[in-house]
Amino acid sequence: MLRNSVAAAALIGTALFAGAAFAQSGKVTVVTSFSKDVTDPFKQAFEKAHPGVTLDVQNRNTNAGVKFVEETKANNQVDVFWASAPDAFEVLKGKSLLQKYKPKAEGIPDKIGSYPINDPENFYSGFAASGYGIMWNDRYAKANKLPEPKDWQDLAKPVYFDHVAMAAPSRSGTTHLTIETILQGEGWEKGWRTLKEVSGNFRQITERSFGVPEAVNSGQVGFGIVIDFFAFSSQASGFPVKFVYPTVTTIVPANVAVVANAPNKAGAEAFVDYLVSPAGQEVLLEPSIRRLPVNPAVYAKAPANYPNPFKDPSLGARVKFDVDVSEKRTNVVDVLYDQTVTFQLDALKAATKAIHDAEAAIAKNDNAEAKALVKEARDLVAAMPVTEQQASSPEIVGAFTGGKEKGARQAELEQQWAAIAKERYQQAQAKAEQALKLAR
């Protein structure tokens, strides 16, 4: 009897050891939107803490990463999905492509500001937090005698024309969140007006989010709309850059999740645990990363003047970000921006420049008729082809799947929205030019 008990205990011990060993060995495949500047330090630290484990990091933008997880679900190629945009995780969760896992972490609060750090059902976990704002090259600004901006609307001022850059929200999950934050913080109509007026001052719209800080760092462009850690890591690397959180911003967690039917589930869970452990949280403070930890205790090891959302309640307090609203209309908002701004940037800039010129002339020679024309021009630029209700309607949401293959309805809406934008920008430019003649 004793012998049997000993044998049973030995079998249990062997099974437990085998499970632990499995977590400490093999390949963990991670699909992520983060650049190597972020992933390499974590890869090195995790592999050092878990000898025998290899982290296979596959970088894709957020939308492409979501599609890859969907497309490979049949043969289970991915263990972990790791990205900034919470609505991307909601999409995967809604399609049953994530599995529940509650990390073994202590000291992490339920919320950061007003935003939950973890999914309440434990399908994904926050490991870092980020806000959205304006980054600028201080030398560039001084050389061009440009003021320091404080809010989004500052970037719409004539002085910033052709000095600003941003990534396309359809190509960058973090930029999409910036757009959505402005829309939620200011409301649909006012938010799009702000976005159009700021976008009219753009020098360029980049395909990847890290193209913006690179352009600001090098002085190719003066100002960039970015996620905060791009600016913080540039500062830590010695670039002459500054950063500000506008009033209308939010602090939201970047997340990590174990993919459903992960081939190395134990290894995936070990990686999630590492990210939220004290050691993993400290990696966030490295100069190449500079994200906001979700463990308040880790800020004690942060550099001087490091933003701390747990001690500064003003960070992100203005916007109560609704991830359900964002997730529902993600593809619609991205396509709206592309069709009315990204692909119409030249026409938008021409209208914007004409408005700036007319307003400058009116400031010197007041003319009521000219003022009225400029107002009409601004309203034409700001106008959107759909209302907020229409953008979230089943009819329009259903037309946009986010896939590479476009349906007939999606193509029809895209062409319609682009044509409306182009026509309104041309009308706005004509009215502004007419106003300029009247004011001279």
Side-chain angles (χ1 to χ4, degrees):
M1 191 74 174
L2 178 62
R3 184 179 300 168
N4 289 340
S5 298
V6 171
L11 283 172
I12 293 171
T14 301
L16 289 173
F17 178 78
F22 185 64
Q24 299 291 322
S25 64
K27 181 177 72 171
V28 179
T29 301
V30 179
V31 170
T32 181
S33 63
F34 300 131
S35 68
K36 284 184 173 292
D37 287 342
V38 175
T39 61
D40 281 354
F42 275 108
K43 174 178 167 65
Q44 294 166 12
F46 176 71
E47 289 179 349
K48 184 177 180 181
H50 296 78
V53 177
T54 301
L55 206 64
D56 177 22
V57 178
Q58 300 189 15
N59 182 276
R60 288 173 167 80
N61 70 47
T62 305
N63 292 337
V66 169
K67 294 302 294 181
F68 184 75
V69 173
E70 290 184 70
E71 291 165 358
T72 59
K73 65 180 180 181
N75 53 3
N76 303 340
Q77 295 183 21
V78 183
D79 296 300
V80 174
F81 185 72
W82 188 27
S84 289
D87 43 0
F89 289 83
E90 283 294 309
V91 169
L92 292 173
K93 174 183 169 182
K95 295 182 178 181
S96 300
L97 293 173
L98 304 178
Q99 58 183 288
K100 290 185 178 183
Y101 181 65
K102 187 173 183 178
K104 304 175 184 69
E106 295 181 357
I108 297 177
D110 293 333
K111 293 184 177 182
I112 186 161
S114 62
Y115 202 97
I117 290 177
N118 301 315
D119 173 47
E121 297 178 86
N122 297 317
F123 280 99
Y124 55 92
S125 304
F127 80 97
S130 297
Y132 310 95
I134 305 165
M135 167 186 180
W136 67 93
N137 187 308
D138 197 41
R139 290 178 188 165
Y140 181 109
K142 288 176 179 175
N144 289 278
K145 297 180 180 177
L146 299 171
E148 295 188 354
K150 291 183 173 60
D151 270 310
W152 301 119
Q153 196 60 44
D154 288 342
L155 293 182
K157 294 176 180 177
V159 71
Y160 294 103
F161 185 81
D162 213 31
H163 293 299
V164 189
M166 187 182 80
S170 60
R171 305 282 297 177
S172 164
T174 54
T175 307
H176 167 79
L177 286 179
T178 306
I179 299 296
E180 184 62 52
T181 295
I182 293 171
L183 293 178
Q184 290 193 24
E186 295 192 348
W188 184 262
E189 291 186 5
K190 186 180 178 184
W192 277 113
R193 181 180 289 271
T194 295
L195 288 167
K196 295 276 200 73
E197 290 178 350
V198 170
S199 301
N201 278 344
F202 283 175
R203 166 96 51 92
Q204 59 181 317
I205 296 175
T206 67
E207 289 193 357
R208 295 301 300 270
S209 55
F210 49 77
V212 177
E214 286 176 354
V216 175
N217 289 341
S218 65
Q220 293 176 352
V221 69
F223 301 78
I225 295 173
V226 299
I227 192 167
D228 54 11
F229 68 84
F230 279 141
F232 301 152
S233 59
S234 293
Q235 289 171 340
S237 299
F239 288 102
V241 301
K242 292 184 177 181
F243 177 84
V244 67
Y245 291 108
T247 308
V248 177
T249 190
T250 189
I251 303 292
V252 299
N255 302 285
V256 63
V258 179
V259 174
N261 302 314
N264 188 351
K265 179 183 175 183
E269 291 174 352
F271 179 65
V272 173
D273 282 333
Y274 182 77
L275 287 180
V276 294
S277 70
Q281 290 286 284
E282 288 178 25
V283 176
L284 293 168
L285 303 177
E286 291 197 13
S288 68
I289 302 177
R290 289 292 163 96
R291 282 196 175 237
L292 307 179
V294 294
N295 186 334
V298 176
Y299 287 86
K301 298 187 177 182
N305 301 317
Y306 203 80
N308 185 342
F310 296 103
K311 287 190 174 181
D312 184 352
S314 69
L315 289 183
R318 175 80 174 268
V319 182
K320 302 295 186 278
F321 192 87
D322 189 328
V323 69
D324 293 329
V325 169
S326 177
E327 185 270 328
K328 185 175 183 179
R329 66 191 191 191
T330 294
N331 294 326
V332 178
V333 167
D334 286 349
V335 172
L336 273 171
Y337 189 88
D338 274 348
Q339 297 302 327
T340 64
V341 178
T342 308
F343 305 146
Q344 305 290 336
L345 186 59
D346 288 345
L348 174 58
K349 288 182 67 173
T352 301
K353 184 66 166 61
I355 289 170
H356 290 335
D357 291 345
E359 289 179 333
I362 292 169
K364 295 178 182 177
N365 184 19
D366 195 11
N367 182 294
E369 187 179 352
K371 277 185 176 179
L373 284 168
V374 167
K375 183 182 182 305
E376 289 178 28
R378 283 196 172 277
D379 289 344
L380 282 165
V381 167
M384 293 301 292
V386 292
T387 64
E388 182 172 17
Q389 289 72 28
Q390 289 171 331
S392 297
S393 68
E395 189 271 327
I396 289 183
V397 169
F400 296 91
T401 62
K404 292 180 181 178
E405 299 298 324
K406 294 182 182 179
R409 182 55 175 155
Q410 177 177 346
E412 179 187 356
L413 286 170
E414 288 183 357
Q415 291 174 2
Q416 179 184 324
W417 294 347
I420 290 172
K422 183 177 181 180
E423 181 182 6
R424 285 175 176 168
Y425 296 155
Q426 289 174 344
Q427 292 173 348
Q429 182 180 350
K431 286 182 181 293
E433 289 172 348
Q434 185 181 350
L436 177 62
K437 291 177 181 178
L438 290 171
R440 279 178 172 168

